[in-house]
Amino acid sequence: MDFDFQFDWSAAIASIPYLLPGIPWTLLISFGGLAFGFFIGIFFGLLRISPIRWLRWVAVGYIEIFRGTPILVQVLFIFYGLPQLLGSPINALVAGIAAIAVNSGAYISEIVRGGVQSIERGQREASLSLGLSRVQAFRYVIWPQAFRRMIPPLGNQGIISIKDTSLFSVIGVGELVRQGQIYIATTFTALEVYFMVALMYLAITWTLSILLRQLERRGIAGQ
Amino acid sequence: MTDTVSPTTPPIVRMQKLNKHFGSLHVLNDIDLEIVPGEVVVVIGASGSGKSTLIRCINGLEEFQSGTLSVDGNTLKPNGKSSKALQTIRTEVGMVFQQFNLFPHLSVIDNITLAPMKVRGWNREDAVNTAKRLLDRVGIADQADKYPSQLSGGQQQRVALARALAMEPRLMLFDEPTSALDPEMIGEVLDAMRELAKEGMTMVIVTHEMGFAREVADRVIFIHKGVIAEQGTPEQIFSAPQNEQTRSFLARVLKH
């Protein structure tokens, strides 16, 4: 075999201006979706530990469905399937954000449940014994502590969801991978371009990792 | 303590035929108990005898299955079906726990002011002033801005006591308040409790500190397998116990 192929740095660098416009789309879909996913996660996470059995079942149903099916199928369903039901097309950006939201929401539900359940029973008992209502005990005592513990796993989920957006090139939304594909179609420099695409994902996820580590080091996140 | 209690004072706690089950386990069996204002009652018994469960019923941290329980005129129904009365009771009854249960994300001062502000609706200034006065009273006025994890166990438990007192309770429950403490810190917590008893606070204390019980209690209750096996003055219980179980329990705990 003949390995005379050379990595062409100039081709890699030349692709940067074409890839950069994908970054805002990647960030918009990721963080837009995660923001909704966070509220979905709080909602179903709290239902999941509700004292009322059928509410717990609703939450379990949601979590199992969206955790148990591939996000690629979810986004295809939303983008190509739902319009047949609704009778009107769905914007690719909206479909991408929705897919991240419902998917991350299922995982975040479990993070919320775990965070709340990790708080020692004595915290709730002390709050109630002071006359706080159950809602007050949750709001002022349980939740602030649970949220700190949730930050590291939430960060993990954020990184996973950012990478998941790469799949959304299939619905034609102009995120990083899609920008790369369009560029490669005219230059045929797949090696260099996908290398640069990977670097750009790393830049985003590393930034998030470092931020999270700072939060943990300052005692804002974690135990 | 006893001299302020007249026999006609209506009881602040009244339990009649109280029964509590944990599954098949009969934890409290037909408990009858009345506590009058100003009284200091110490509950003793082996671990698993039901003594903690008994005081946790008083502020509704444990539900009971049958019988009646009223605290300061508020009646609790079996199986936790009386949320309004329960809420009232909890604002009137303070509790100190074995594990302190301070709120680790709040400073000492915020631990103490939280309930008065959110439950009683005090403004921050009043709540802070009361908190500082209470911290001074339990001897840790200089720790107000620290976080619980920065304090020793004895200091944490005194904060927990100040936190409960900030609600101006009519009755204080203590669930083994010194059991999680290093020996050298037990004294400081007992001293604070002794002061409180002197001031006339009604107290129900579950403890293994027999010397303290003897000194502070108006009445000692011995619980054995969910039943009040014997009760009386500290003198009666510690010097002349009538019940066989009381004698064998005391022989075991007083040996060391």
Side-chain angles (χ1 to χ4, degrees):
Chain A
M1 296 251 315
D2 184 12
F3 284 107
D4 64 347
F5 193 90
Q6 290 287 306
F7 186 92
D8 182 355
W9 280 103
S10 65
I13 289 161
S15 72
I16 292 174
Y18 294 89
L19 296 179
L20 281 180
I23 288 182
W25 289 94
T26 293
L27 292 178
L28 183 62
I29 299 168
S30 311
F31 289 100
L34 283 165
F36 287 111
F38 183 62
F39 289 104
I40 293 173
I42 291 176
F43 182 74
F44 284 105
L46 296 184
L47 281 198
R48 180 74 181 75
I49 47 180
S50 152
I52 301 159
R53 188 187 298 179
W54 71 267
L55 287 180
R56 289 201 302 273
W57 286 350
V58 170
V60 169
Y62 178 85
I63 293 165
E64 292 301 330
I65 288 169
F66 288 99
R67 210 175 50 172
T69 52
I71 191 167
L72 183 58
V73 174
Q74 289 164 12
V75 78
L76 290 173
F77 182 87
I78 293 169
F79 187 67
Y80 293 111
L82 273 191
Q84 293 188 1
L85 278 179
L86 303 174
S88 64
I90 290 179
N91 176 289
L93 174 68
V94 172
I97 290 175
I100 292 291
V102 295
N103 183 272
S104 71
Y107 289 94
I108 293 171
S109 299
E110 287 293 274
I111 294 172
V112 168
R113 177 181 72 88
V116 171
Q117 287 184 334
S118 77
I119 304 303
E120 301 70 26
R121 201 179 58 164
Q123 292 292 307
R124 184 165 185 272
E125 291 186 347
S127 311
L128 297 180
S129 80
L130 286 165
L132 295 172
S133 67
R134 289 190 303 179
V135 172
Q136 286 176 322
F138 184 80
R139 176 168 167 202
Y140 299 114
V141 177
I142 311 296
W143 179 254
Q145 297 183 59
F147 185 68
R148 281 185 207 198
R149 294 188 189 179
M150 281 159 49
I151 291 175
L154 280 176
N156 263 332
Q157 183 56 45
I159 287 171
I160 291 168
S161 291
I162 288 167
K163 293 185 297 179
D164 281 346
T165 61
S166 64
L167 295 167
F168 299 169
S169 53
V170 296
I171 57 168
V173 60
E175 46 69 64
L176 264 174
V177 170
R178 178 73 181 158
Q179 291 298 111
Q181 287 172 337
I182 294 168
Y183 184 70
I184 291 165
T186 55
T187 62
F188 305 104
T189 49
L191 175 68
E192 290 80 4
V193 174
Y194 283 131
F195 179 78
M196 292 312 289
V197 167
L199 271 189
M200 288 183 188
Y201 276 110
L202 263 184
I204 299 170
T205 55
W206 266 1
T207 308
L208 189 56
S209 290
I210 288 164
L211 238 113
L212 285 163
R213 217 167 301 149
Q214 289 295 324
L215 286 177
E216 283 186 61
R217 198 170 297 159
R218 289 187 203 162
I220 296 163
Q223 288 287 335
Chain B
M1 290 172 268
T2 22
D3 49 3
T4 59
V5 178
S6 94
T8 54
T9 317
I12 184 165
V13 176
R14 174 177 274 156
M15 277 184 190
Q16 284 166 322
K17 298 253 175 252
L18 195 88
N19 283 280
K20 160 86 186 170
H21 303 263
F22 278 126
S24 63
L25 196 65
H26 203 165
V27 193
L28 296 175
N29 190 346
D30 274 348
I31 299 277
D32 288 309
L33 176 64
E34 291 193 348
I35 296 166
V36 293
E39 197 177 12
V40 176
V41 176
V42 169
V43 184
I44 61 171
S47 56
S49 59
K51 55 192 193 308
S52 283
T53 309
L54 176 72
I55 70 163
R56 287 163 58 86
C57 281
I58 296 175
N59 68 348
L61 290 183
E62 300 286 353
E63 296 174 358
F64 53 95
Q65 277 73 48
S66 69
T68 61
L69 167 59
S70 76
V71 181
D72 205 15
N74 303 286
T75 303
L76 281 182
K77 294 183 193 134
N79 303 309
K81 290 188 178 110
S82 38
S83 58
K84 193 104 185 264
L86 185 57
Q87 192 71 23
T88 313
I89 288 170
R90 283 172 174 166
T91 61
E92 306 298 331
V93 178
M95 189 168 200
V96 171
F97 299 84
Q98 181 177 348
Q99 301 295 341
F100 328 137
N101 294 346
L102 291 179
F103 307 137
H105 61 301
L106 299 178
S107 67
V108 164
I109 202 90
D110 289 341
N111 261 273
I112 301 173
T113 57
L114 179 69
M117 287 168 67
K118 301 301 177 193
V119 180
R120 294 244 191 257
W122 294 7
N123 64 43
R124 178 154 183 90
E125 196 187 343
D126 288 347
V128 166
N129 287 338
T130 302
K132 285 187 171 160
R133 184 171 46 77
L134 287 166
L135 282 174
D136 191 41
R137 187 162 133 194
V138 296
I140 39 176
D142 49 340
Q143 312 288 344
D145 296 319
K146 290 197 177 160
Y147 281 82
S149 60
Q150 297 170 295
L151 304 180
S152 72
Q155 289 172 325
Q156 289 191 48
Q157 194 60 301
R158 284 183 284 159
V159 172
L161 177 58
R163 180 177 68 175
L165 293 176
M167 284 295 286
E168 302 180 333
R170 301 205 51 217
L171 167 69
M172 280 292 300
L173 308 173
F174 294 85
D175 190 1
E176 302 200 26
T178 58
S179 297
L181 293 174
D182 290 335
E184 74 268 24
M185 292 168 186
I186 292 174
E188 63 196 55
V189 171
L190 294 182
D191 284 344
M193 291 170 63
R194 204 174 275 124
E195 281 301 310
L196 195 60
K198 273 192 199 137
E199 289 163 20
M201 175 64 77
T202 313
M203 298 162 74
V204 186
I205 306 164
V206 171
T207 186
H208 294 289
E209 297 292 326
M210 296 302 156
F212 175 78
R214 187 165 202 147
E215 173 199 350
V216 174
D218 295 314
R219 177 159 47 131
V220 176
I221 292 176
F222 172 70
I223 296 211
H224 179 70
K225 291 186 176 166
V227 175
I228 296 182
E230 185 169 4
Q231 57 179 316
T233 63
E235 189 64 21
Q236 286 167 339
I237 298 294
F238 291 114
S239 303
Q242 301 300 308
N243 182 290
E244 184 51 43
Q245 299 297 343
T246 318
R247 262 180 258 147
S248 92
F249 171 75
L250 289 173
R252 269 178 284 135
V253 297
L254 296 175
K255 197 163 53 186
H256 332 282

